[in-house]
Structures are given as C-alpha cells and as structure tokens.
C-alpha cells in the first residue's frame, strides 16, 4: 500500500526543462481551527492560487497571475464557482467513505491531487489524477489504459461506477493531455520572469562535533532542479551519504543538504572528498573541498566558525510560511507519479478555468 507523505514542499524535478501544474484539494472533518476545504494550485512548485472554505474565494498568490484576466475575463469567478462545488462534493465524499469503512465520528481527511507535466524541449507530456483518504491511496486514474485503479476494497465500488459512466475516461484523457497542458504553458509564460530565473546558492560545510557527519548545505538557489552530492577522487559517492529533501526558504529560493559520514575517513584522505552543486542551465559546477579549515561548527564557543544561523532562521521562517500550504493539502505520494481524485465529465470545465470540480463517490 502506497502511503501519502506530508512534506514541506519538497519538489525535486529531474529534468531541467520539465514544467508542472498541480492542484491539491483537501477536505477535512472535525479538524479544529482548520478550514473544511482548501485548494492550492502550484505551477513549477510555486503556489499561484489559493481557496479555502473560510474565505469562499479563489485568489491569486503571485502578482503575475493578475495577467490571466486579460486573456480570460471572469477567470477568478469561474475558478471560485468550481471550488465551491468541490467543497460540497468533498464534504459528501468523506461521509460516503466513512460508511465504507464503518466509521462514525473522528478526524478524517480526503485529498485530491491532479495535474500535468510538460517538457518544453522534447514536447513530452504526462498527466496524473489520484485520490487519498486518511493518508492512504484511495483511487487513481491510469492515463495509459484509461482505467481507474482501486488499491483498497472499499474503493472498488467507485472504480466500477466511474468506469461505467460514459465519457469520464475520455474527459480525463482530454484534460490531462490537452487542456491542462495549455494552461500550464500560459502560467509559465505569465510568470517567466520568476519561474525561469536562475539564482546560485551559498554552499557551506557544517559539523556539530568531530565525530558527526559533515553536512554540505546549499541555500538560496533557484530553480529547484539541482544535484547536490559528495564525490571522492572525482567519482560520486553513494555509500556513507545521506541526502536531505529540497526545502523552501522564506524568500522563494530553495535549500538542500547532503551529509557525509567521515568517521572512517583518515585525516590525510580528506582532500580526496568534495561536495558538488549542479544547477540546471548552469554549466559550471560549484565544488567545495572537504577541508577542516572551512567547516563551520558550534563545538567551540569561541571559534570564529559557527553554524550559519541566518540560513537556519531563513529555513524556519520559510517552513512557517509554507505550513498553510502543506496543511492546505500539499500531500505528496512517495512515488513521483502522483495524483488525486478528479472531476465531473460533463460540466467541470469549459476551457475558461484551469481547475476541475471533484466527482461525487455516491
């Protein structure tokens, strides 16, 4: 059983030209001080719109999204109407699934993630659509076979129902391969000054104690299409290395760390090791030699070298800013081919709005 993993917007994209459009819907039941329904839209892993049941309004999160009304008059009103419909659908779906699991009260979460990817160099595209309940996969759409996959017996009823409905699979095929891609291209064009920019990081070596791993910490880079790794004698290391996730900073850039276990490395061999940072679109690597003289540590109170508190504070602030997004349903599957539940086939979208209304389970 594949499980959801709540991550603070870790989004590492392997291809240097791979763009993505993702929508995350989260419906909740009996969660204190939390909206009943939240929707977050991400383009290239940057939040560009937001809706929740408290405000009852879909709103832009980036200045460049104001451009959409020039091409699509009434865009925000239509998006709001779609999400208000999904809010009601999610409320009913939670009750339906609770009955399937013989549940009564308690806290429950229903989630939906859908969207598409586009490689602007090769033209290759991909689409995904998946639904979850209480942290577990519920149902997903297989774009290749145009069928629904139900990993749990309680979802088989939904699978059969949706596969019997005429036009549903064709609708999803059209949306994921055409309409979603069209909107993704528009959004990338609107935000190109932000989404297509390049910022290089500062790279530091950190170590808590002489016996601790040495952490190579890169912060302030954009985009998040990067490689950060340790190598020895010019060869990438895979053993004794622990990779951290890519995290957001409060200023919209990213940070990442990779640890090297040096407990078995002889002092005379330290010079053979180096940390390498590679950023998509930049030909020159950032290489930092494993040198005790440049390692920042907090083990000596009077030492001029210490942990970069600015980066740490920035990371904490960034995480706090993103908590709203994470709680709002930015819940990713362990595998990269993620997805979520999806929408009505008849009237969920007419081409004038990019999100989709969720489909009832009954």
């Amino acid at each position: 059983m594949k499980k959801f993993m709540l991550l603070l917007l870790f989004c590492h994209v392997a291809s240097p030209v791979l763009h993505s459009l993702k929508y995350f819907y989260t419906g909740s039941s009996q969660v204190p001080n939390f909206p009943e329904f939240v929707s977050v839209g991400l383009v290239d892993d940057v939040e560009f719109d937001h809706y929740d049941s408290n405000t009852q309004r879909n709103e832009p999160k980036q200045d460049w999204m104001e451009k959409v009304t020039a091409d699509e008059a009434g865009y925000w009103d239509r998006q709001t109407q779609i999400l208000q419909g999904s809010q009601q659908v999610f409320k009913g779906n939670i009750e339906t699934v609770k009955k399937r699991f013989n549940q009564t009260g308690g806290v429950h979460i229903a989630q939906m993630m859908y969207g598409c990817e586009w490689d602007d160099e090769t033209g290759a595209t991909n689409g995904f659509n998946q639904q979850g309940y209480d942290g577990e996969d519920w149902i997903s759409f297989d774009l290749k076979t145009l069928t629904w996959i139900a990993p749990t017996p309680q979802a088989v009823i939904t699978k059969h129902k949706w596969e019997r409905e005429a036009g549903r699979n064709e609708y999803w095929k059209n949306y994921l391969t055409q309409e979603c891609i069209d909107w993704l291209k528009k959004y990338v064009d609107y935000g190109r000054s932000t989404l297509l920019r390049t910022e290089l990081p500062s790279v530091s070596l950190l170590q808590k104690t002489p016996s601790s791993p040495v952490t190579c910490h890169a912060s302030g880079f954009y985009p998040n299409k990067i490689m950060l790794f340790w190598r020895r004698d010019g060869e990438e290391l895979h053993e004794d290395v622990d990779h951290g996730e890519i995290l957001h900073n409060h200023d919209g850039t990213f940070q990442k760390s990779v640890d090297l276990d040096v407990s078995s490395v002889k002092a005379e061999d330290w010079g053979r090791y180096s940390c390498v940072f590679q950023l998509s679109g930049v030909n020159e690597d950032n290489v930092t030699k494993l040198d005790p003289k440049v390692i920042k540590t907090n083990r000596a109170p009077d030492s001029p070298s210490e942990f970069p508190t600015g980066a740490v504070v920035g990371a904490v602030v960034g995480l706090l800013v993103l908590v709203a997004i994470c709680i709002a349903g930015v819940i990713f599957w362990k595998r990269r081919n993620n997805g979520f539940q999806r929408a009505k086939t008849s009237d969920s979208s007419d081409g004038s709005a990019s999100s989709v209304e969720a489909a009832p389970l009954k």
Side-chain angles (χ1 to χ4, degrees), residues 13 28 48 60 93 115 125 147 160 178 180 215 217 223 231 271 321 362:
V13 183
S28 61
F48 70 91
N93 282 355
T125 64
T147 58
H160 292 328
Q178 298 182 40
C180 182
T215 297
H217 181 259
R231 68 185 183 189
V321 170
K362 294 181 179 179

Side-chain angles (χ1 to χ4, degrees), residues 14 22 59 62 89 109 128 135 142 151 167 198 257 286 289 295 312 332:
K22 303 171 186 176
E59 299 175 330
Q62 301 293 331
V89 169
I109 303 290
F128 37 86
D142 189 324
T198 298
S257 296
N286 183 320
K289 288 282 188 180
I295 293 179
V312 174
F332 290 81

Side-chain angles (χ1 to χ4, degrees), residues 4 80 123 328 333 338 354:
F4 291 104
T80 295
W333 274 254
N338 39 20
S354 63

Side-chain angles (χ1 to χ4, degrees), residues 49 81 141 147 161 191 229 232 234 252 273 296 302 315:
D49 74 358
Q81 292 171 5
F141 182 65
T147 58
K161 175 181 181 293
F229 56 92
R232 181 181 59 202
Y273 293 79
K296 298 180 180 181
D302 57 347

Side-chain angles (χ1 to χ4, degrees), residues 14-15 18 26 31 56 112 136 139 163 165 179 196 201 219 223 243 247 298 306 324 340 347 350:
S15 170
L18 188 66
T26 297
V31 179
Q56 292 283 323
M112 172 178 174
E136 300 286 344
I139 197 167
E163 289 183 345
E165 292 180 359
E179 186 177 340
L196 302 183
S219 183
H243 289 269
L247 303 176
N298 63 353
E306 57 185 17
F340 226 60
D347 60 355
D350 60 0

